[in-house]
Amino acid sequence: MTTFAELGLDPKVLSAIADAGYTEPTPIQAGAIPPALQGRDVLGIAQTGTGKTASFVLPMITLLGRGRARARMPRSLVLAPTRELAAQVAENFDTYSKNTKLTKALLIGGVSFKEQDMLIDKGVDVLIATPGRLLDHFERGKLLLTGVQIMVVDEADRMLDMGFIPDIERIFQLTPFTRQTLFFSATMAPEIERVTNTFLSAPEKIEVARRATTAESIEQGVVHYTATRKDMQAKEKRALLRALIDREGEALKNAIIFCNRKTEVDVVAKSLKKYGYDAAPIHGDLDQSQRTRTLAAFRDGSLRLLIASDVAARGLDIPAVSHIFNYDVPSHAEDYVHRIGRTGRAGRLGKALTICVPHDEKWLAAIEALVQKEIPRVESPLKGAATRLRRDRPVRDEAPEGVAAPARAEVMAPASPSPAPVREAQARPPRAESAPRERSERDNRSSRGAHGGRGGRGEPVVGMGDHMPAFLTRSFKPKSETAEETAD
Ligand code: AMP
């Protein structure tokens, strides 16, 4: 087993590592640090949680220890896709460089240009930045990149997702040809491959095993859920989320709840707060000070539920999360791996629960193909409550006298313990054996409202024949519910 002492790091760095409590290098550190110290380019294929930040920060500090900063010409540059990630790299830098006199500046949105300009003017050894902000500074003529000896690109795959690759290429071109490049990505998409082929020179490639998604320490589950009515989906899904949180009881110490869209992040956070849960949102549209406060509160345990988008949460190092909820099934299977990797860290037990509505089935199938495992189906805690919800609706009152009660009873799902109205029975979850294509066609059909005498599952509706009574096509939704929908 390699030790840190064998890697060739500066003794000042070694003592900072010892203070941080690290006893041995992680595989990415053992693989990347020696070639980086030799001045070689490094291509690291590793995810967050593998110790990759230290694998570039430690050799940088060692290499930079040998020279001095010059005004407006940083000697090294670290590019990170999000503000949080950049701030996290800066924190790592502070920890590992505490015994040195190296200086740094963090160039991220939400922090005033003036403050950052002053630091750059004085001269910094390390500049940590998001690509857009760095180019803003450059264009204002405040920054020269011709002194950059080491350039790090962190989380390149996320840069690609966020459309930053042209910025990265431009920044590469602004730095000297002779620079050393340390490049990190969790995956090697063709576009990333192209960038590394263009800008890296004979890199040492280190690929570390991705965190096992089937790790024993992560209990995974999927809750299939179909709305009683399409227009009730969002509201009912939020109720399901609350029920899932409640069902975990004391075992749920803290959780990240992932949504696919920023707007959803806000709505879910607002709704949870309204129901008395300790919750706050984090996504790219929130101002920096709020994001920093929220993250700090989540890290120190004073905030229990963090509602996040993938972009905002990517790369964040939050050590102890007991639960992950996927409020939406992620549309990129890779994101599932990233999301659930936030729990069950370092041998701790963790649980990841995913809510899957019929529309998301195809994404769930892609995830299961990627992780090569069927994620266990778990029962919805809302079974009883959902039935109650249905019963509360004024269906019976709306039914014209000519429609006999038994007709309604016949179209209910057999397992339903209470009289559910016809339309809800039609919206029951599709059967596992159904092909996704068929399902989506059926979803379209049921979303049109009139079912042509067929149930949402494509089966004949017993007792109705081909006749669709007019009352079934009418909306049962009282006006007030629409307002509640947005406020909830
Ligand atoms: P990263 O993959 O860089 O986000 O690092 C994940 C976590 O691992 C961070 O909390 C680091 O502080 C921690 N870490 C990094 N290197 C080591 C190490 N050699 N031993 C123990 N923990 C480490």
Side-chain angles (χ1 to χ4, degrees):
M1 181 65 69
T2 323
T3 63
F4 275 114
E6 288 163 358
L7 297 179
L9 293 163
D10 186 321
K12 289 177 187 160
V13 175
L14 289 177
S15 91
I17 295 170
D19 290 349
Y22 305 166
T23 49
E24 60 191 45
T26 64
I28 186 75
Q29 291 162 1
I33 293 174
L37 287 175
Q38 286 163 18
R40 292 191 52 196
D41 283 0
V42 169
L43 173 56
I45 303 166
Q47 281 184 294
T48 297
T50 55
K52 70 175 167 59
T53 316
S55 79
F56 60 80
V57 174
L58 301 179
M60 270 174 77
I61 298 171
T62 300
L63 292 167
L64 293 170
R66 297 172 196 152
R68 285 197 52 212
R70 286 169 59 195
R72 289 200 288 154
M73 289 177 72
R75 296 196 292 148
S76 67
L77 177 61
V78 180
L79 296 172
T82 63
R83 299 166 181 188
E84 280 76 18
L85 196 56
Q88 206 165 280
V89 173
E91 263 173 48
N92 273 254
F93 176 81
D94 289 344
T95 306
Y96 307 135
S97 70
K98 65 176 189 173
N99 302 322
T100 74
K101 291 204 173 71
L102 296 176
T103 54
K104 64 142 208 303
L106 180 61
L107 299 193
I108 53 177
V111 179
S112 91
F113 276 99
K114 206 170 152 208
E115 241 172 78
Q116 297 174 327
D117 280 346
M118 267 162 50
L119 281 172
I120 295 170
D121 279 348
K122 268 202 281 178
V124 289
D125 297 296
V126 183
L127 197 56
I128 303 162
T130 48
R133 189 65 167 205
L134 181 88
L135 287 172
D136 285 349
H137 276 271
F138 180 80
E139 271 147 23
R140 292 164 74 245
K142 297 285 182 184
L143 181 64
L144 288 168
L145 294 174
T146 44
V148 171
Q149 296 155 21
I150 308 170
M151 173 161 157
V152 178
V153 178
D154 194 15
E155 303 252 354
D157 50 337
R158 184 50 49 155
M159 302 267 198
L160 175 66
D161 290 350
M162 296 173 75
F164 289 158
I165 294 297
D167 285 352
I168 299 293
E169 291 185 90
R170 177 147 180 245
I171 296 166
F172 264 125
Q173 282 155 354
L174 296 172
T175 60
F177 176 67
T178 50
R179 71 167 187 266
Q180 177 184 7
T181 308
L182 312 175
F183 192 100
F184 291 82
S185 186
T187 55
M188 285 303 284
E191 185 67 355
I192 305 242
E193 187 108 38
R194 185 186 63 73
V195 172
T196 57
N197 288 341
T198 313
F199 295 103
L200 271 64
S201 156
E204 174 82 18
K205 188 169 168 182
I206 300 112
E207 183 161 6
V208 299
R210 61 173 47 256
R211 287 169 53 82
T213 55
T214 49
E216 299 287 295
S217 58
I218 307 177
E219 184 188 339
Q220 299 173 60
V222 174
V223 180
H224 278 284
Y225 157 72
T226 304
T228 55
R229 266 190 359 221
K230 234 181 161 86
D231 58 350
M232 290 297 284
Q233 176 162 303
K235 189 178 166 70
E236 291 179 0
K237 215 171 152 188
R238 293 193 290 271
L240 173 58
L241 174 67
R242 293 195 298 276
L244 284 170
I245 293 170
D246 294 347
R247 187 163 73 177
E248 292 306 306
E250 300 258 299
L252 195 154
K253 304 272 178 290
N254 57 356
I256 307 179
I257 299 163
F258 283 98
C259 302
N260 288 1
R261 286 174 301 276
K262 289 185 235 179
T263 46
E264 198 86 85
V265 168
D266 275 332
V267 173
V268 171
K270 208 168 137 200
S271 165
L272 284 169
K273 271 194 273 187
K274 185 179 132 186
Y275 280 89
Y277 293 79
D278 182 18
I282 184 158
H283 61 69
D285 288 351
L286 297 172
D287 80 64
Q288 185 57 31
S289 61
Q290 190 181 349
R291 284 157 65 166
T292 310
R293 261 198 324 271
T294 302
L295 260 186
F298 194 65
R299 279 208 186 100
D300 72 22
S302 53
L303 173 71
R304 189 163 173 247
L305 304 174
L306 182 70
I307 330 302
S309 62
D310 289 290
V311 168
R314 182 69 171 259
L316 294 184
D317 179 31
I318 297 161
V321 183
S322 73
H323 283 68
I324 294 296
F325 293 94
N326 290 315
Y327 180 78
D328 301 303
V329 180
S331 53
H332 299 291
E334 283 280 331
D335 282 337
Y336 179 80
V337 179
H338 291 299
R339 289 181 182 186
I340 73 160
R342 317 257 135 208
T343 188
R345 285 196 174 183
R348 287 188 203 95
L349 288 180
K351 193 163 179 178
L353 290 169
T354 301
I355 299 176
C356 181
V357 299
H359 171 271
D360 296 354
E361 295 274 350
K362 53 189 179 298
W363 295 333
L364 183 64
I367 290 165
E368 290 185 325
L370 178 75
V371 302
Q372 294 177 3
K373 172 179 180 268
E374 194 188 355
I375 303 167
R377 271 49 178 171
V378 295
E379 199 171 325
S380 164
L382 260 196
K383 283 252 149 87
T387 313
R388 239 188 348 268
L389 243 163
R390 290 172 200 158
R391 230 191 348 233
D392 290 346
R393 301 242 181 76
V395 181
R396 218 164 303 167
D397 300 340
E398 285 200 19
E401 268 178 27
V403 179
R408 261 181 275 139
E410 275 165 356
V411 293
M412 282 190 302
S416 181
S418 70
V422 175
R423 288 161 60 96
E424 286 150 10
Q426 287 167 340
R428 294 223 144 221
R431 295 232 183 91
E433 68 268 20
S434 310
R437 196 179 137 74
E438 280 171 2
R439 273 200 301 271
S440 67
E441 279 169 10
R442 280 201 302 275
D443 292 342
N444 290 341
R445 228 183 7 239
S446 53
S447 72
R448 284 199 293 270
H451 300 271
R454 305 232 151 209
R457 285 174 287 169
E459 292 157 0
V461 176
V462 185
M464 287 288 183
D466 282 327
H467 173 67
M468 168 65 74
F471 81 93
L472 286 182
T473 62
R474 234 182 279 152
S475 169
F476 300 131
K477 192 169 188 179
K479 274 209 173 68
S480 60
E481 241 174 48
T482 320
E484 212 184 328
E485 178 70 28
T486 41
D488 178 28

